[in-house]
Amino acid sequence: MIELTINGNTRQLDIEPEMPLLWALRNELGLTGTKFGCGIAACGACTVHVDGQPVRSCVTPVSAVQNGQITTIEGLAQNAAGSAARTAVQQAWIEHQVPQCGYCQSGMIMAVSALLAANPNPDDATIERSVSNVCRCGTYPRISKAIRGVIADHAAQPDTTRGDTV
Amino acid sequence: MKMNRRRFLLGTTVIGGGLLLGYAVTRPTRQTLANRDHAEAGQTFLTTWLRIDPDNQVTVVVPHSEMGQGVLTSLPMMAADEMDADWNQVRVEQAPATDLFANGVLIKGFAMSMGLTVPAFLDRTVDFATLKAAEIMNMQITGGSSSVRFTGEMGMRAAGAAAREMLIDAAAAQWQVAASECDARNSFVHHDASGRSASFGELASAAAALEPPRNPTLKTPDRFTLMGTPVPRIDIPAKVDGSAMFGIDARPEGMLYAAVTTAPVFGGRLVRVDNTDAVMQRRGIQRVIELEDAVAVVADNYWRAAEALKQLQPVFTGTEFDDSNSSDIFAQFDAALDNAERHEDVHAGDAEEAFGNAAEIIDARYRVPYLAHAAMEPMNCTVHFHDGRCDVWTGTQDNLGIRGRVASVADLDENSVTVHPFYLGGGFGRRLPQSTNTIDQATRIASHFDVPVQTLWSREEDTRQDYYRPAVSSRFRAALDSDGQLVAWENVYVGKNEPVEAAHLAYQVVNQRIDYVESPTHVPFGAWRSVAHSQHSFFLESFTDELAWHANQDPLQYRLSLLAGKPRHQRVLQEAAARAGWTTPPPQGRARGIALQESFGSIVAEVAEVSLTEEGEVRVNKVVCAIDCGRVVNPDTAASQVESGIIYGLTAAMYGQISIENGRVKESNFHDYEMLRMAQSPEIEVILLESDDAPVGGLGEPATPPISAAVTNALYALTGQRVRELPLKNYRFLPPPTESSGNV
């Protein structure tokens, strides 16, 4: 049996240890917010957090994350300390009207959330290096603005506006 | 009767029924049918796309697919504005795939704008290929940058205006006053003289008894309340928390998963499958299914199916194209350009004489490779056969087309097929029924089961089994007189596709000879965002740039001088250039290029500012785009579509290349079919321009065509190297020869 702790819930699954986390989430647990894009860790659509670190779940076997705290897009807001329905990053995504088709945005939001949790004021090069996900609708300019918006809000009110993500 | 009624939850939005206003206004029977089949207790269809509940909620039914372009917001805005509905009480539903909701306005719009021809991207569908004009109307297509300009302008606005008139007439009759004394505001009809008012909900059933007006009066723009404002998209909240449902997320009870591999050489057939016994021993495997040109493994988990598929050893037939390579295809094109029979596209003046008398002739050959769409959501379709009928779950640009396709493959009546619409994880032409084999495969695979089966393609399958933007070669000649003036233009290119005007010249040249030759290949092609404009804009605007430099003229001024009498074209060029600082020198190490293209009813100019990395790779620093789309319905979604179109086109210019090697596609996934990412994404500035008397233009595609030439023209200004073949990843550029570099 494989034991996974996802969004605070621990589940026992009778699955192969080498099954990628993505397919355990999508096919075994019905958590469809995490997306399949490439299967080779090249696009980031499947990004989740394991102990706060961004992980591309399509190439991560479940056996490797048995002892970790896994957070998916569905659990991002519930894990945010003192946050309500959405995290500051999710709210910024709405404010800047970022998503188009929306398919890549779960992974984008997870990648950005992990970055900002680790580094509340990253420079442009760090952002570009850390958020290497693919968006075919080309929402990059708006993602960039939304990230800067979160950074600015945090700088203005570090105690109240963020406090989110894992 | 509630036959075929399906509700589908998109986030907080309930998806349900509606139907086509164009027919409702002229055919009240459709309104009656809508009320019979698709309205629930107390609900009333006033026009075909608008339903009103007793609690005064207005529901706008959208017959198009949401693939990120904002159509679930923009079309309801148009209807609600004309209706004077309270936007806070407007709900949006997506039309189900039944005949009542066919999207005839789009087809009519295309037919009108294209001289009564139907665009080629429609004509390979099962529905269209075999049927006549009446059936053409039975499509529910989303494409051609058409939703707002056709369905919206011709359908939604008229629907809202008709509903408003009917509600006012109903109130006036009830109050025994003249309709002209009544007014509609925020979902209420008011008679200000007597202080009486009634909600739309209260008036709906009386209004529904009235004959819809044939020619409802539309608002003038000064009276718009929603149109022209940046109303937030209704689909976005569900797209930030993982709750938005795409086709791949369909989870009907008991569903199995199928992984597929198709003959790698187009046209190949499956001979046999080896190693099936071993594969059947693997955990979770239900069945191995042999198809005509593919093999599928069905399992209880997609990963199990995909892993098992790797162990199978399918054997496919050889084909006559097994030795074909991209270089052979381009050689074939070159031979065709030189020798094949030429078909007339545009002939004007006397090009032959002008070339005969020319003081100088400039010539150039251009080419572009095949391109895959690479929508982020891999192709998928879920099908369930039960009780002599069939349910289909998928995200598609044409729900009715999918219904027809599945019915045809399954040999069922169309009314026995129910399509459940989902959000599309990218469309770009890929999710038209004729641009994928997934639907046919999914139907055939599921026909072996009595539970739902989701057929899901790997990224590799998506990349190698696409209907590609065609590879195209194009040859130009320009005749100059003794003053260096352009007197004749000759262009011959491979393969005429839609839109028919893609290779036509915006510039005034008296003598023109534009021809095409046929040079078919075995590689399937389909509609790719902006279709034939994607290649012809690169060709036309690059060669025009060559002529400007040859004439030693500023590329902007050269273009303007050939656009007398075309003020909209001149304006987009001037606005883009002004905002980009065209007349001031760019920063050190950068240069600017400009390009122009009209497509799908909108006129676009883009200025790209580029530089080189230390390794000689291209970096596009900034793009300024001015677009005249007639009138803007939602400036924020309009800007987002322009940004999106630029990045889609820039990705193709920088990296896009599908190569044919031994008859098959060489590239497979994002490591070798590369995508622009945030690190390479330019700053983008969008200037939305309006033209009072112009029809509303499209926005989903028109920003894509000019970007490649804007970038390569800037590279010429920077390096002196003319790019006549994409993509740019195949080049290493030398840095600028001198310390100072400018765009002119």
Side-chain angles (χ1 to χ4, degrees):
Chain A
M1 295 294 276
I2 297 289
E3 186 176 291
L4 297 176
T5 303
I6 299 164
N7 301 329
N9 303 313
T10 300
R11 298 283 302 267
Q12 304 280 337
L13 294 174
D14 176 17
I15 56 175
E16 301 86 325
E18 65 271 27
M19 181 183 287
L21 176 60
L22 171 68
W23 299 109
L25 294 171
R26 290 188 55 83
N27 288 183
E28 303 294 321
L29 295 167
L31 290 169
T32 56
T34 304
K35 300 305 189 199
F36 167 50
C38 67
I40 60 167
C43 78
C46 66
T47 305
V48 299
H49 297 170
V50 178
D51 296 327
Q53 297 299 309
V55 165
R56 294 194 169 174
S57 64
C58 71
V59 295
T60 304
V62 288
S63 58
V65 293
Q66 285 202 87
N67 300 317
Q69 294 287 328
I70 300 162
T71 306
T72 71
I73 186 73
E74 291 94 342
L76 186 62
Q78 79 186 37
N79 281 12
S83 179
R86 298 186 188 106
T87 65
V89 172
Q90 289 171 311
Q91 200 56 47
W93 249 238
I94 293 176
E95 186 185 329
H96 292 271
Q97 294 280 289
V98 170
Q100 289 187 29
C101 92
Y103 191 80
C104 74
Q105 298 297 344
S106 293
M108 283 285 185
I109 288 168
M110 297 307 283
V112 170
S113 298
L115 167 66
L116 295 182
N119 178 0
N121 190 21
D123 59 20
D124 289 355
T126 305
I127 293 170
E128 289 175 357
R129 195 170 53 247
S130 306
V131 187
S132 59
N133 302 34
V134 173
C135 170
R136 283 295 275 154
C137 299
T139 60
Y140 305 121
R142 287 174 185 236
I143 290 172
S144 184
K145 283 178 192 152
I147 293 172
R148 279 167 233 283
V150 176
I151 293 170
D153 286 350
H154 176 68
Q157 294 180 291
D159 295 333
T160 56
T161 57
R162 282 194 61 254
D164 60 310
T165 67
V166 298
Chain B
M1 237 175 102
K2 296 288 186 289
M3 272 183 61
N4 291 338
R5 179 163 173 81
R6 288 290 186 279
R7 281 185 167 252
F8 170 65
L9 206 63
L10 290 183
T12 56
T13 307
V14 177
I15 299 305
L19 72 112
L20 183 69
L21 173 89
Y23 290 118
V25 168
T26 54
R27 292 194 207 168
T29 50
R30 290 238 169 188
Q31 185 186 334
T32 309
L33 278 178
N35 279 313
R36 189 192 73 187
D37 292 347
H38 294 280
E40 297 192 331
Q43 296 177 330
T44 309
F45 276 92
L46 258 196
T47 74
T48 47
W49 283 336
L50 296 171
R51 197 176 64 222
I52 301 176
D53 285 332
D55 67 358
N56 211 21
Q57 179 168 266
V58 173
T59 301
V60 183
V61 181
V62 175
H64 289 289
S65 302
E66 180 61 75
M67 46 193 187
Q69 80 282 41
V71 72
L72 286 182
T73 308
S74 55
L75 291 186
M77 284 170 65
M78 301 175 87
D81 195 332
E82 289 289 349
M83 193 179 181
D84 280 318
D86 177 357
W87 182 249
N88 294 318
Q89 295 191 71
V90 172
R91 200 177 62 160
V92 179
E93 291 184 1
Q94 188 165 347
T98 70
D99 293 336
L100 286 174
F101 306 88
N103 182 17
V105 172
L106 164 63
I107 307 299
K108 279 183 181 169
F110 258 118
M112 285 161 45
S113 70
M114 306 182 83
L116 295 178
T117 61
V118 170
F121 76 83
L122 301 179
D123 77 2
R124 286 185 303 282
T125 63
V126 172
D127 277 359
F128 183 75
T130 54
L131 302 179
K132 301 180 190 68
E135 281 79 13
I136 298 170
M137 301 299 173
N138 277 342
M139 305 191 78
Q140 222 173 22
I141 208 162
T142 303
S145 301
S146 58
S147 301
V148 163
R149 60 197 180 118
F150 297 141
T151 310
E153 283 292 287
M154 298 181 199
M156 286 288 166
R157 289 188 62 193
R164 183 181 189 275
E165 287 184 19
M166 293 161 78
L167 290 159
I168 286 177
D169 286 347
Q174 195 173 310
W175 298 330
Q176 302 283 306
V177 298
S180 59
E181 295 172 17
C182 299
D183 193 20
R185 296 189 297 272
N186 285 325
S187 292
F188 279 80
V189 177
H190 298 272
H191 183 249
D192 289 337
S194 63
R196 279 176 290 193
S197 66
S199 74
F200 286 1
E202 292 166 336
L203 296 165
S205 58
L210 303 174
E211 181 91 356
R214 277 175 172 272
N215 293 300
T217 305
L218 302 185
K219 285 183 176 179
T220 48
D222 57 299
R223 294 179 54 224
F224 291 164
T225 54
L226 292 166
M227 285 185 272
T229 68
V231 173
R233 291 226 325 258
I234 67 155
D235 56 322
I236 281 185
K239 290 178 175 176
V240 306
D241 63 9
S243 64
M245 297 287 280
F246 299 83
I248 197 172
D249 302 325
R251 289 292 180 275
E253 198 177 339
M255 186 177 80
L256 299 171
Y257 299 86
V260 185
T261 190
T262 308
V265 180
F266 308 108
R269 291 285 173 266
L270 184 67
V271 176
R272 64 172 198 276
V273 181
D274 294 339
N275 215 24
T276 302
D277 291 345
V279 162
M280 287 303 296
Q281 301 302 313
R282 296 175 65 106
R283 180 175 171 184
I285 304 304
Q286 304 287 311
R287 193 164 178 152
V288 172
I289 296 172
E290 299 185 11
L291 301 170
E292 197 180 341
D293 62 351
V295 61
V297 177
V298 181
D300 57 358
N301 177 299
Y302 176 72
W303 172 76
R304 290 185 186 122
E307 288 296 300
L309 186 65
K310 290 179 193 164
Q311 202 182 338
L312 272 185
Q313 293 164 2
V315 178
F316 296 99
T317 58
T319 82
E320 58 179 304
F321 307 109
D322 284 4
D323 297 325
S324 174
N325 295 316
S326 286
S327 56
D328 302 319
I329 290 172
F330 282 116
Q332 173 191 317
F333 289 170
D334 283 341
L337 289 179
D338 290 336
N339 305 317
E341 182 191 355
R342 287 167 64 150
H343 303 281
E344 175 177 342
D345 188 350
V346 175
H347 287 183
D350 190 339
E352 199 173 342
E353 189 189 357
F355 276 101
N357 297 333
E360 187 177 5
I361 293 174
I362 316 276
D363 62 4
R365 285 177 184 245
Y366 284 81
R367 66 166 62 153
V368 291
Y370 293 102
L371 295 174
H373 297 78
M376 283 307 296
E377 180 191 5
M379 303 309 292
N380 64 86
C381 181
T382 305
V383 180
H384 184 200
F385 283 91
H386 61 94
D387 307 313
R389 48 179 299 114
C390 185
D391 281 85
V392 182
W393 295 262
T394 195
T396 170
Q397 291 176 247
D398 180 5
N399 285 302
L400 276 174
I402 292 291
R403 186 184 66 156
R405 187 85 172 231
V406 171
S408 168
V409 173
D411 198 20
L412 286 171
D413 183 88
E414 289 200 0
N415 292 317
S416 300
V417 178
T418 303
V419 177
H420 305 264
F422 283 78
Y423 285 132
L424 282 64
F428 316 123
R430 178 60 154 137
R431 286 192 155 85
L432 291 163
Q434 63 274 28
S435 291
T436 174
N437 301 327
T438 324
I439 309 301
D440 291 23
Q441 288 184 351
T443 306
R444 294 200 166 96
I445 292 164
S447 70
H448 294 273
F449 295 88
D450 57 8
V451 294
V453 182
Q454 178 170 102
T455 295
L456 172 57
W457 278 10
S458 64
R459 174 61 57 191
E460 289 78 9
E461 196 74 358
D462 175 60
T463 305
R464 291 177 164 165
Q465 300 292 335
D466 202 345
Y467 285 68
Y468 301 89
R469 197 290 301 276
V472 180
S473 295
S474 187
R475 197 185 70 196
F476 291 91
R477 287 201 306 155
L480 309 182
D481 67 13
S482 53
D483 297 328
Q485 296 293 311
L486 174 61
V487 291
W489 173 278
E490 185 189 54
N491 178 203
V492 55
Y493 60 89
V494 172
K496 180 147 185 79
N497 296 308
E498 301 296 343
V500 292
E501 73 279 13
H504 299 180
L505 197 56
Y507 305 110
Q508 286 163 338
V509 183
V510 174
N511 304 299
Q512 296 188 30
R513 182 176 177 187
I514 304 173
D515 291 329
Y516 62 97
V517 295
E518 304 291 357
S519 188
T521 75
H522 74 298
V523 182
F525 64 92
W528 185 98
R529 193 174 195 169
S530 81
V531 206
H533 287 287
S534 70
Q535 66 263 17
H536 286 298
S537 180
F538 170 62
F539 302 150
L540 294 174
E541 282 299 287
S542 295
F543 190 59
T544 301
D545 214 66
E546 291 198 50
L547 299 179
W549 284 87
H550 185 82
N552 204 23
Q553 288 191 36
D554 175 282
L556 167 66
Q557 294 303 326
Y558 185 80
R559 285 170 170 81
L560 292 172
S561 71
L562 293 172
L563 289 165
K566 291 195 167 179
R568 295 177 72 199
H569 292 73
Q570 292 189 337
R571 184 170 165 225
V572 293
L573 283 169
Q574 286 163 332
E575 292 277 349
R579 198 71 66 90
W582 185 262
T583 53
T584 60
Q588 180 73 31
R590 296 189 186 183
R592 302 190 189 104
I594 194 163
L596 169 78
Q597 185 78 5
E598 175 176 0
S599 66
F600 306 98
S602 293
I603 305 163
V604 182
E606 289 169 6
V607 175
E609 191 170 293
V610 308
S611 58
L612 298 176
T613 67
E614 285 176 10
E615 294 77 35
E617 292 170 352
V618 179
R619 179 83 172 89
V620 179
N621 305 98
K622 187 175 180 185
V623 176
V624 176
C625 174
I627 177 167
D628 178 350
C629 58
R631 201 179 65 249
V632 177
V633 171
N634 185 322
D636 194 55
T637 55
S640 75
Q641 282 304 291
V642 173
E643 294 159 11
S644 174
I646 288 168
I647 288 177
Y648 202 79
L650 184 56
T651 301
M654 298 276 284
Y655 310 116
Q657 183 172 35
I658 288 292
S659 320
I660 305 301
E661 216 173 72
N662 298 322
R664 65 201 70 193
V665 169
K666 178 181 162 195
E667 291 76 15
S668 62
N669 203 322
F670 294 132
H671 67 287
D672 57 4
Y673 191 65
E674 299 140 76
M675 298 290 132
L676 200 83
R677 297 167 196 249
M678 201 149 78
Q680 299 90 32
S681 181
E683 177 190 349
I684 297 177
E685 190 172 339
V686 179
I687 306 162
L688 300 171
L689 300 171
E690 302 196 340
S691 288
D692 284 345
D693 298 328
V696 171
L699 281 160
E701 295 167 280
T704 298
I707 187 61
S708 49
V711 169
T712 56
N713 292 344
L715 282 167
Y716 182 78
L718 187 64
T719 68
Q721 186 170 351
R722 176 60 64 182
V723 174
R724 297 193 182 93
E725 185 177 337
L726 295 175
L728 294 168
K729 71 170 181 177
N730 296 335
Y731 295 74
R732 285 293 173 274
F733 292 90
L734 297 172
T738 59
E739 279 296 297
S740 67
S741 64
N743 48 295
V744 282

